[in-house]
Amino acid sequence: MKNLQSNSVKNVKRCLFLHLTMTFISLVFAVTSTAAGELVLVKEGLSRAPVFVFENAPPRTLEAAEELAMFIEKVSGARPDVIEGEPDPVPDSAIWVGYQPVMDSLFPEQNFAFEHPEEILIAANENHLAITGRDRWDRDNLRIRHHPDHGSEIPFQFEYGTANAVYTFIQDYLDVRWFWPGELGRDIIKQDSIVFEPFEHRHHPPFRYRGGLLHSPMRGFRLGRGSYDWLRYQRLALGSLDVNAGGHGFGDWWNRFHEDHPEYFALQPDGKRSGFPSPGNVKMCHSNPAVAEQWVADVEAELKKNPTKQIFNASPNDSGASGHCICEDCRAWDHPDGEMLTFTWQGLGQQYVALSDRHVKFANRCARMLKERFPDRNLYVSMLAYGNWRPAPVEAVPDENVLIVNVANMFWGLDTEGRNNVPAQQFRDWGKVTDKQLWRPNTGDPAGWQKGLPDIPLHRNAEVIKFVADNGGIGISVDMVWEHWATQGPLYYLGTQLLWDPAREVD
């Protein structure tokens, strides 16, 4: 009886051992792959790879990591854990959001030293997935006030490569689509397992300012979370240039300085510096060095309020043909071969050369003073190509830290009804002297565009976006897009896709 009992116990133990061994082998097989060399993130509704985000990651990166886990769950029903910091020991399989030193050994073939602004890298091998990109931020200014009249603060980085890489992975590899804001606009294909063969995806978007596609979000994140979330998922909200694309640089100068410093303002044909055509649209005496010195002093004051600001407006005020300075020094900055245009002063209209060379020289003066005053900062001067300085300069070349905001009204196509498209030619001409153009069209209202009527020229608009990218365009801000989703949603969606990657096929 004792021997029988002993043998029975041995048999039970042996069976239990074999059962556990087979179970373990099955689990290992399930964890590692469904086929040799494949990476398994989710298998039959069970998460196999936690998400690790680097320690002390900025808020937008942490937010993206949580949303990655959320969308993996929406696709598969399994939500991976999100863990901050480098694990010890390192798990057999994991998703790595943002660079951590351990990734050098886990991905020996990859180069994590990003050379391009906003560059992203998504790479998978048979055990691990890397979702990372170029991130830059000021640890002392991670949250800033978005608007001086609004109390809430928003997270801020100079570059959001990792966050944009996460949203790229969700779209391109989890097959999630956000066709319009809100839950109803999401298209999610359910699947029990998420499995990948090894791959590598690198990209850096040529458009570094993409947040000006829709009107409300570009005016302030506070105006509508739904649209802002949509822009973030589409990789438009988190760009690396923050441009006041529609503004002019001297709107308050008359009220501030006309009594104590009348010499700042444009000399008129009657010999006065009268502020024509109006206080808000007064023109400056750009050749006067004191104007640039005061402009830089204003920049310094702005930086004390907001150390993260990068781009500062030096564009002449609106009413682009009126009241420009006729002093001898300003006229010496104009090129005699410039295009002849019509100008107006008080009681006088006259043909004169385009002022593009003059205004580029002023922007360059400001840009060089910025470099001298703030040598450790990456600061830009923005200058509109607008009014009577739309044509490209004849001789002057914008400095490397001058951004030309080109108001080229070609939103509806490059050659409408066979007519010669002057704005497109002007944009191309500026592209020959600078690789830093931001396209800022005044769209107008053909066929009721601004009223929400169904004017959706998909292929013509896509042609223009690709043209902008090919001619030095690094950003876009469209005037008067009011979110008429029911009629114009397809045009908005197409725009978001091409602003992230203008090389994509339109159809």
Side-chain angles (χ1 to χ4, degrees):
M1 189 72 174
K2 185 177 180 179
N3 290 336
L4 287 175
Q5 188 177 25
S6 178
N7 289 335
S8 177
V9 170
K10 289 179 180 178
N11 288 334
V12 169
K13 289 180 177 179
R14 185 178 294 113
C15 290
L16 180 59
F17 174 78
L18 291 173
H19 174 74
L20 291 174
T21 300
M22 293 304 296
T23 301
F24 176 76
I25 292 172
S26 298
L27 285 173
V28 169
F29 182 80
V31 168
T32 55
S33 65
T34 55
E38 290 183 330
L39 169 67
V40 177
L41 302 185
V42 176
K43 178 66 175 177
E44 296 179 355
L46 295 176
S47 175
R48 303 301 189 189
V51 175
F52 289 96
V53 61
F54 59 93
E55 190 174 3
N56 297 321
R60 288 296 185 209
T61 303
L62 292 172
E63 177 182 47
E66 292 290 347
E67 289 180 311
L68 172 63
M70 177 185 73
F71 279 103
I72 289 176
E73 182 181 27
K74 288 181 178 294
V75 169
S76 67
R79 188 184 186 100
D81 293 331
V82 178
I83 304 165
E84 186 175 354
E86 187 172 302
D88 185 17
V90 175
D92 292 333
S93 292
I95 303 170
W96 303 89
V97 173
Y99 172 75
Q100 300 189 48
V102 69
M103 295 166 64
D104 291 329
S105 59
L106 300 177
F107 299 89
E109 303 296 323
Q110 297 299 335
N111 177 13
F112 293 107
F114 299 109
E115 298 178 0
H116 303 283
E118 299 193 61
E119 185 176 356
I120 69 169
L121 168 65
I122 308 171
N125 57 35
E126 61 185 10
N127 295 312
H128 296 278
L129 173 66
I131 307 177
T132 185
R134 196 164 98 164
D135 296 312
R136 293 187 174 181
W137 69 92
D138 180 350
R139 293 188 181 277
D140 296 327
N141 294 283
L142 268 174
R143 292 187 177 275
I144 61 171
R145 288 179 180 267
H146 185 67
H147 192 279
D149 299 327
H150 187 68
S152 67
E153 296 181 333
I154 61 168
F156 175 82
Q157 295 172 225
F158 294 112
E159 293 186 43
Y160 304 84
T162 293
N164 285 325
V166 168
Y167 302 126
T168 298
F169 175 80
I170 294 171
Q171 174 182 284
D172 293 352
Y173 295 93
L174 297 183
D175 290 329
V176 174
R177 296 293 183 273
W178 301 280
F179 291 116
W180 60 85
E183 290 287 341
L184 192 60
R186 293 179 182 176
D187 183 61
I188 297 175
I189 301 172
K190 301 288 186 179
Q191 47 187 316
D192 290 336
S193 300
I194 300 176
V195 181
F196 299 105
E197 293 184 356
F199 69 88
E200 176 186 321
H201 173 92
R202 283 187 181 270
H203 177 69
H204 59 278
F207 292 116
R208 294 178 55 194
Y209 178 68
R210 304 177 295 277
L213 180 68
L214 300 183
H215 189 82
S216 294
M218 87 180 199
R219 295 300 182 192
F221 300 159
R222 65 194 186 282
L223 295 182
R225 284 291 302 178
S227 295
Y228 176 67
D229 288 344
W230 185 79
L231 284 176
R232 191 175 72 256
Y233 295 151
Q234 301 287 15
R235 298 149 300 180
L236 267 62
L238 303 181
S240 58
L241 292 177
D242 185 15
V243 185
N244 180 13
H248 303 266
F250 303 90
D252 64 346
W253 275 48
W254 180 258
N255 291 334
R256 293 171 61 198
F257 301 120
H258 78 277
E259 292 183 355
D260 295 334
H261 295 285
E263 72 276 8
Y264 286 178
F265 301 98
L267 181 68
Q268 302 297 299
D270 61 4
K272 299 178 181 178
R273 298 180 187 268
S274 60
F276 179 85
S278 66
N281 291 325
V282 66
K283 302 305 185 293
M284 312 310 299
C285 182
H286 286 97
S287 63
N288 182 351
V291 173
E293 290 169 3
Q294 180 60 57
W295 183 87
V296 173
D298 286 354
V299 168
E300 188 168 17
E302 285 189 70
L303 285 170
K304 289 179 180 178
K305 296 178 182 178
N306 178 10
T308 66
K309 190 166 183 177
Q310 295 176 281
I311 302 174
F312 299 89
N313 198 332
S315 299
N317 288 330
D318 213 343
S319 188
S322 300
H324 292 279
C325 190
I326 65 163
C327 81
E328 184 177 344
D329 289 340
C330 280
R331 287 187 289 116
W333 278 11
D334 302 325
H335 200 285
D337 296 333
E339 182 177 337
M340 298 299 294
L341 301 170
T342 299
F343 289 78
T344 60
W345 295 270
Q346 185 72 49
L348 175 66
Q350 183 176 308
Q351 291 283 299
Y352 187 66
V353 296
L355 304 183
S356 310
D357 284 79
R358 174 191 301 195
H359 293 317
V360 168
K361 290 175 182 178
F362 176 72
N364 287 348
R365 171 180 280 180
C366 294
R368 292 163 191 174
M369 292 177 70
L370 279 187
K371 279 192 171 184
E372 292 174 3
R373 186 77 59 88
F374 309 102
D376 298 328
R377 294 177 182 254
N378 188 25
L379 304 180
Y380 292 88
V381 175
S382 67
M383 170 62 65
L384 286 170
Y386 179 63
N388 279 9
W389 59 100
R390 287 179 189 255
V394 178
E395 191 173 72
V397 175
D399 282 7
E400 62 178 9
N401 59 329
V402 171
L403 174 64
I404 298 299
V405 181
N406 199 318
V407 187
N409 297 336
M410 55 189 182
F411 185 80
W412 303 103
L414 295 176
D415 193 11
T416 305
E417 299 178 359
R419 293 173 293 182
N420 179 36
N421 194 305
V422 173
Q425 184 58 52
Q426 290 175 341
F427 196 96
R428 184 185 289 111
D429 290 342
W430 277 97
K432 295 175 182 177
V433 298
T434 179
D435 60 357
K436 293 183 177 66
Q437 287 200 84
L438 184 138
W439 181 44
R440 197 265 180 188
N442 290 329
T443 62
D445 195 19
W449 154 263
Q450 293 178 8
K451 301 176 182 68
L453 296 182
D455 195 4
I456 45 175
L458 295 170
H459 286 84
R460 283 190 285 122
N461 193 245
E463 181 185 23
V464 174
I465 293 175
K466 291 174 179 290
F467 173 84
V468 170
D470 291 339
N471 287 275
I474 62 169
I476 181 173
S477 179
V478 183
D479 186 41
M480 304 299 179
V481 183
W482 296 103
E483 297 195 57
H484 298 297
W485 288 95
T487 51
Q488 294 161 5
L491 193 59
Y492 303 160
Y493 180 78
L494 177 67
T496 65
Q497 297 298 305
L498 293 179
L499 289 181
W500 177 253
D501 184 3
R504 293 194 63 178
E505 293 293 332
V506 177
D507 291 333

